């Protein structure tokens, strides 16, 4: 059987087994460990990674499965097979580009691709979940010439969205609604088709739970699985809970962040700033281990964009203050800064191991959602709705009861 047509239940079973078997390899963050726990069990792997040049690192960051040098240690080919999902074909032409004014270029292209793959049946009520300004709701309303409701809890977004809908003559009502409360159910009935593009963790999990009881169809591109109140992931499907328990696959909230780690390549300037921030954090890590005399990672809060101090010393003083750490008056700042840069080169290479498991984890989480809806009696398809370059969160679940 080819990978694309592998039944979801088989795909899920193999992914569960592989994620469980290799969790000691993909879970530890190289950023936090001076020596990774797996190094002793996989002799030669760390050395092979550390020997890679810049060009090779960039290549395998971009395409982790293609002729990977990790295949000598890790199940690269099977993982590649298991993440190979069908590209869902469009059922209709994409809506005209002019409809996308007021929407960023990439966002509009995602909406256009999503809408072209949303199968709306005659007469079924349409609801967009966590709609923001209702860009998706507006596009669905215009394509299907149908009144559409967008649920959004921020009044300002509802207002802005109502203005856009009026200007475009789209029959959209943006209802100010917290989807997490009981009243959210009132917007759904057995016929409703709920669409959600990039609704985060708990928000889309809530959609699935409510839709399982009160909707006729769901079209969902999930996002940010780690944005969830629970510290520990509880699979949505019964099958997922059973299999994860059998195989010993446990996922903490922080583990889930791996599933969305791939981002569209940032502009060169942003990338350079991010690299500098990371190198400084690693330089501070070296410094704090020495100052404290404790060879252990110390988490430092993240800094909002543009708030990074001007110099490495300034950054370390800020980080030390956050952690209540007294720094000696005299320190060889440039030596620690250089150590941070050297460490970043290593960490970037060691991270390639985790890259290999990123898409498998994302597909596993999407399959758990698919199985939850199947258990509720829906027929569900999972595939991609657009190219990865448009958004790496390009998985689409199409479910109908
Ligand atoms: C990631 S955005 C997605 C917006 C839109 N679907 C898109 O793709 O641009 C999530 C939206 O959910 C809204 N939101 C967050 N929590 C919510 C809640 N509990 N109830 C309703 N909307 C919520 C946010 O205000 C935000 O507009």
């Amino acid at each position: 059987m080819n990978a694309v047509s592998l039944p979801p239940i088989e795909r899920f079973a193999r992914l569960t087994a592989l994620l469980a078997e290799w969790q000691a390899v993909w879970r530890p963050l190289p950023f936090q460990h001076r020596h990774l726990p797996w190094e002793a069990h996989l002799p030669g792997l760390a050395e092979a990674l550390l020997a890679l040049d810049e060009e090779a690192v960039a290549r395998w960051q971009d395409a982790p499965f293609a002729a990977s040098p990790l295949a000598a240690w890790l199940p690269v080919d099977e993982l590649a097979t298991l993440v190979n999902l069908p590209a869902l074909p469009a059922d209709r032409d994409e809506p005209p580009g002019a409809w996308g004014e007021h929407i960023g270029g990439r966002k509009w292209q995602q909406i256009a691709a999503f809408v072209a793959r949303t199968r709306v049946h005659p007469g079924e009520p349409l609801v967009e979940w966590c709609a923001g300004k209702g860009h998706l709701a507006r596009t669905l309303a215009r394509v299907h010439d149908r009144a559409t409701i967008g649920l959004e809890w921020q009044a300002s977004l509802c207002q802005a969205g109502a203005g856009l809908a009026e200007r475009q003559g789209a029959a959209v009502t943006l209802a100010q609604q917290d989807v997490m409360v009981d009243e959210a159910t009132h917007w759904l009935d057995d016929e409703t088709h709920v669409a959600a593009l990039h609704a985060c963790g708990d928000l889309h999990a809530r959609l699935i739970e409510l839709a399982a009881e009160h909707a006729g169809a769901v079209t969902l591109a999930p996002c940010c699985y780690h944005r969830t109140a629970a510290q520990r992931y509880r699979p949505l499907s019964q099958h997922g809970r059973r299999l994860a328990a059998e195989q010993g696959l446990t996922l903490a909230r922080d583990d889930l962040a791996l599933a969305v780690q791939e981002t569209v390549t940032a502009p060169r300037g942003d990338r350079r700033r991010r690299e500098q921030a990371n190198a400084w954090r690693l330089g501070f890590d070296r410094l704090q281990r020495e100052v404290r005399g404790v060879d252990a990672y110390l988490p430092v809060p993240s800094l909002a964009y543009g708030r990074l101090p001007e110099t490495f010393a300034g950054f370390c003083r800020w980080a030390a203050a956050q952690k209540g750490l007294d720094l000696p008056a005299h320190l060889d700042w440039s030596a620690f800064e250089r150590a941070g840069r050297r460490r970043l080169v290593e960490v970037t290479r060691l991270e390639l191991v985790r890259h290999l498991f990123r898409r498998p984890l994302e597909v596993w989480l999407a399959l758990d959602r698919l199985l939850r809806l199947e258990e509720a009696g829906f027929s569900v398809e999972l595939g991609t709705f657009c190219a990865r370059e448009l958004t790496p969160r390009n998985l689409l679940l199409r479910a109908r009861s």
Side-chain angles (χ1 to χ4, degrees):
M1 176 156 323
N2 76 32
V4 169
S5 55
L6 198 63
I9 201 96
E10 282 179 32
R11 201 185 285 274
F12 188 71
R14 281 309 298 150
L15 281 170
T16 311
L18 289 176
L19 287 167
E21 181 181 347
W22 296 97
Q23 50 195 325
V25 170
W26 60 257
R27 180 168 290 124
L29 296 164
F31 210 90
Q32 299 182 358
H33 294 268
R34 288 228 281 178
H35 298 286
L36 284 157
W38 49 258
E39 284 182 38
H41 308 291
L42 296 168
L45 174 55
E47 289 75 12
L49 289 168
L50 295 178
L52 295 176
D53 62 27
E54 288 291 316
E55 187 266 331
V57 172
R59 183 150 28 98
W60 282 302
Q61 277 176 338
D62 186 52
F65 301 110
S68 168
L70 307 189
W73 293 270
L74 302 170
V76 175
D77 290 345
E78 191 177 5
L79 289 171
T81 304
L82 293 169
V83 299
N84 187 8
L85 291 166
L88 299 173
D91 287 339
R92 56 175 62 248
D93 289 344
E94 291 192 358
W99 292 10
E101 47 176 49
H102 312 294
I103 309 176
R106 250 193 201 140
K107 189 72 190 169
W108 167 248
Q109 289 173 56
Q110 292 163 25
I111 289 173
F114 185 103
V115 167
R117 288 160 182 80
T118 305
R119 291 190 171 146
V120 175
H121 283 192
E124 70 187 3
L126 290 174
V127 168
E128 183 189 0
W129 199 251
C130 299
K133 294 181 187 169
H135 298 319
L136 174 62
R138 227 166 39 246
T139 313
L140 284 169
R142 292 179 84 178
V143 166
H144 298 284
D145 195 15
R146 181 146 344 150
T148 301
I149 290 166
L151 303 180
E152 166 59 48
W153 74 349
Q154 288 192 51
S156 58
L157 294 178
C158 292
Q159 260 164 27
L164 288 172
E166 195 178 317
R167 225 173 303 156
Q168 292 190 355
V172 170
T173 306
L174 279 155
Q176 192 184 351
Q177 174 69 58
D178 178 354
V179 299
M180 303 306 283
V181 302
D182 288 346
E183 291 77 56
T185 322
H186 298 156
W187 300 99
L188 311 180
D189 67 31
D190 292 352
E191 310 261 283
T192 312
H193 187 145
V194 191
L197 174 59
H198 296 163
C200 301
D202 281 346
L203 300 177
H204 75 245
R206 168 83 171 151
L207 157 59
I208 288 172
E209 288 313 316
L210 288 189
E213 300 292 326
H214 307 284
V218 175
T219 305
L220 164 67
C223 192
C224 298
Y225 303 88
H226 59 295
R227 299 239 174 118
T228 157
Q231 294 273 5
R232 193 182 156 143
Y233 183 68
R234 180 172 186 267
L236 273 55
S237 65
Q238 276 180 25
H239 186 70
R241 291 197 286 278
R242 195 169 55 242
L243 220 55
E246 275 168 25
Q247 303 277 344
L249 177 63
T250 54
L251 296 166
R253 181 170 50 207
D254 287 351
D255 297 330
L256 302 180
L258 173 64
V260 297
Q261 216 179 43
E262 184 192 15
T263 52
V264 171
T265 309
R268 188 189 283 268
D270 291 357
R271 246 181 311 159
R272 215 175 290 134
R273 271 190 294 277
R274 197 186 312 146
E275 271 171 24
Q276 178 167 70
N278 286 339
W280 283 3
R281 280 175 181 275
L282 287 163
F284 176 74
D285 184 52
R286 176 63 65 88
L287 186 157
Q288 65 81 11
R289 287 176 198 247
E290 257 186 58
V291 170
R292 289 196 304 145
V294 179
D295 194 10
Y297 181 73
L298 191 64
V300 172
S302 53
L303 264 171
Y305 184 77
R307 303 286 303 278
L308 193 68
E310 298 263 301
T311 61
F312 174 64
F315 172 76
C316 290
R317 289 197 186 97
W318 169 82
Q322 301 302 307
K323 306 308 290 185
L325 186 68
D326 284 332
L327 296 181
H330 298 291
L331 277 168
D332 186 349
W333 295 110
S334 56
F336 284 111
E337 188 173 2
R338 277 198 308 277
R341 289 200 182 284
R342 275 198 306 275
R343 185 67 191 139
L344 183 62
V345 169
E346 294 173 3
V347 163
T348 309
R349 281 152 182 74
L350 296 167
E351 271 285 338
L352 289 173
V353 164
R354 282 166 51 77
H355 275 272
L356 204 59
F357 289 89
R358 194 204 62 67
R359 186 69 161 178
L361 180 59
E362 185 180 9
V363 170
W364 185 87
L365 290 164
L367 284 167
D368 179 38
R369 282 141 183 77
L370 174 150
L371 292 170
R372 171 68 184 95
L373 285 163
E374 280 191 354
E375 286 168 3
F378 284 71
S379 333
V380 197
E381 286 174 282
L382 172 64
T384 59
F385 71 97
C386 66
R388 204 183 112 218
E389 291 69 29
L390 211 49
T391 167
R393 298 293 81 66
N394 65 352
L395 298 180
L396 188 72
L397 285 158
R398 276 199 303 211
R400 184 162 288 283
S401 66

